Amino acid sequence: MSATPGETPKPYKRPVSVLVLIHTPERQILLLERASHPGYWQSVTGSQEGDEPLDTTARREVLEETGIDIAGEGLPLRNWQQSHVFEIFLEWRHRYAPGVTHNTEHVYSLELPAPRPVTLAPGEHLDYCWLPWPEAADKVFSWTNRDAILQLAQP
């Protein structure tokens, strides 16, 4: 459990997450700016909760971070059947059990017909933008996010 003084302990985060690349057929990419790190842009990401299936994690995170209801709108969530292991930044390791240093991230994508406004999660993101894939790949801070964008751009 992790907590700061005076707070109720919260369960540790699982070191298993999803990355959901939201894009258009023309490869315009939705990016979100992290509230905890202004200037850090990323696709939708989030940790698996309990034993929920990863597809459920992906749908939940998209809804929480953008307001897009994949199931309710009948949108096509694509599981890339691909994952990456990366080292968790030191500043975020307190969220994980002692000794946990790496996370396994599973890649998904969601194609929308066109860019659209999204509803940001208060306290989680400051802003969003839609960018052509080359600009989006340059703007994201995560190598796994960059690599997913570059893979999406391949013919």
Side-chain angles (χ1 to χ4, degrees), residues 81-101:
Q81 301 297 319
Q82 186 177 111
S83 62
H84 302 99
V85 176
F86 63 86
E87 188 171 359
I88 300 165
F89 287 135
L90 285 174
E91 66 190 89
W92 292 322
R93 284 197 194 158
H94 69 278
R95 299 175 179 173
Y96 300 87
V100 172
T101 59

Side-chain angles (χ1 to χ4, degrees), residues 38-82:
Y40 276 44
W41 291 84
Q42 65 182 45
S43 292
V44 169
T45 63
S47 295
Q48 184 180 40
E49 292 182 355
D51 293 329
E52 74 182 347
L54 288 170
D55 289 0
T56 301
T57 303
R59 284 190 212 58
R60 177 179 51 75
E61 289 293 340
V62 168
L63 181 60
E64 289 174 4
E65 295 186 12
T66 69
I68 298 171
D69 183 356
I70 292 173
E73 295 183 45
L75 297 170
L77 180 67
R78 181 175 152 230
N79 182 341
W80 288 21
Q81 301 297 319
Q82 186 177 111

Side-chain angles (χ1 to χ4, degrees), residues 101-124:
T101 59
H102 288 76
N103 183 74
T104 302
E105 179 180 77
H106 299 268
V107 183
Y108 287 79
S109 62
L110 172 64
E111 184 175 290
L112 300 178
R116 67 191 238 188
V118 298
T119 303
L120 298 175
E124 194 163 349

Side-chain angles (χ1 to χ4, degrees), residues 14-61:
R14 294 193 65 198
V16 177
S17 66
V18 296
L19 167 75
V20 184
L21 191 61
I22 300 176
H23 63 93
T24 68
E26 295 77 29
R27 292 177 256 165
Q28 292 279 319
I29 310 292
L30 175 65
L31 295 182
L32 309 172
E33 183 179 19
R34 291 186 68 94
S36 63
H37 259 292
Y40 276 44
W41 291 84
Q42 65 182 45
S43 292
V44 169
T45 63
S47 295
Q48 184 180 40
E49 292 182 355
D51 293 329
E52 74 182 347
L54 288 170
D55 289 0
T56 301
T57 303
R59 284 190 212 58
R60 177 179 51 75
E61 289 293 340

